[in-house]
Amino acid sequence: MNILVGMKKIFLFLFILSMSLKSWSQILVYKGSGVIANQKNTVLTPNLVRIALTKNPDLLHEYNIGRRKLTIGNTLLIAGPIVLGVGTMAYVISGFDEGMNPEFEGKLNRSIPKIIMGTGFAALLIAIPVRIGFSRKIKNVVAEYNNQNATGYKQFESTKVDLITNSNGIGLRLTLN
């Protein structure tokens, strides 16, 4: 009977210990626009997120792809309207010779401004799906990271259970390395 009470205390101790270790695991929260926070609502820098993801190289790779898409999308989203505006201004300015001088008989060359405007418009159109893709990638990384912490995925690289016998009796040994 005394052994049974001792075993109950040991199991209770191990249960409380495992619950405290679970509270140390970090949960990530996606806030939008590439911002990730922890469960205490503290915003994490991309380098801190990369450090948290170092144990799972696949998630780290996906996160880096998502951050790269964010950078490319932001660049296209900023550069597209600028190039479109420059092309429009060049198109308008190229027609000034004809409007200012009624005797102007030169041929207007408006193909270059049209190409510049087309490039700016294309950059603006490409930026939209790239921005949507980065958001989806980072959301998936956060969901997978939280899921692996909840299920204990790859917490221990190798686990080994052995049946041990000696003069004192039979037992199980669990090796977590």
Side-chain angles (χ1 to χ4, degrees):
M1 201 62 160
N2 216 1
I3 294 174
L4 190 59
V5 172
M7 291 297 285
K8 284 183 182 179
K9 287 182 181 179
I10 289 174
F11 281 122
L12 182 63
F13 173 74
L14 290 175
F15 178 72
I16 292 171
L17 180 67
S18 68
M19 293 307 285
S20 68
L21 289 176
K22 176 67 179 151
S23 68
W24 282 95
S25 66
Q26 186 175 18
I27 296 175
L28 300 178
V29 179
Y30 182 68
K31 296 287 190 179
S33 299
V35 176
I36 296 177
N38 60 9
Q39 68 264 27
K40 294 178 183 175
N41 214 16
T42 305
V43 176
L44 302 175
T45 63
N47 287 334
L48 289 175
V49 175
R50 286 184 182 105
I51 289 170
L53 295 174
T54 54
K55 297 223 177 191
N56 192 333
D58 295 333
L59 289 180
L60 180 61
H61 179 67
E62 290 295 316
Y63 178 74
N64 287 335
I65 290 173
R67 291 300 298 185
R68 203 170 305 126
K69 280 188 169 190
L70 172 65
T71 304
I72 292 170
N74 285 343
T75 303
L76 290 174
L77 199 59
I78 292 170
I82 292 172
V83 172
L84 184 63
V86 167
T88 304
M89 291 304 293
Y91 185 79
V92 169
I93 291 172
S94 67
F96 280 174
D97 288 339
E98 181 182 27
M100 299 297 258
N101 186 1
E103 297 173 4
F104 180 76
E105 296 181 13
K107 183 179 176 187
L108 290 176
N109 185 5
R110 291 189 170 185
S111 62
I112 302 284
K114 286 181 182 178
I115 292 172
I116 294 173
M117 287 186 333
T119 304
F121 189 68
L124 196 57
L125 288 180
I126 291 170
I128 295 168
V130 170
R131 293 272 312 196
I132 292 170
F134 104 84
S135 179
R136 193 173 303 140
K137 278 234 185 262
I138 293 181
K139 280 181 190 176
N140 289 342
V141 166
V142 169
E144 286 291 322
Y145 179 79
N146 291 337
N147 188 29
Q148 85 178 12
N149 280 345
T151 60
Y153 173 75
K154 284 191 176 179
Q155 281 185 335
F156 303 106
E157 293 298 321
S158 65
T159 59
K160 186 177 174 185
V161 178
D162 296 322
L163 179 66
I164 298 176
T165 59
N166 60 17
S167 61
N168 294 329
I170 298 175
L172 294 174
R173 177 175 59 189
L174 178 63
T175 308
L176 305 170
N177 292 27

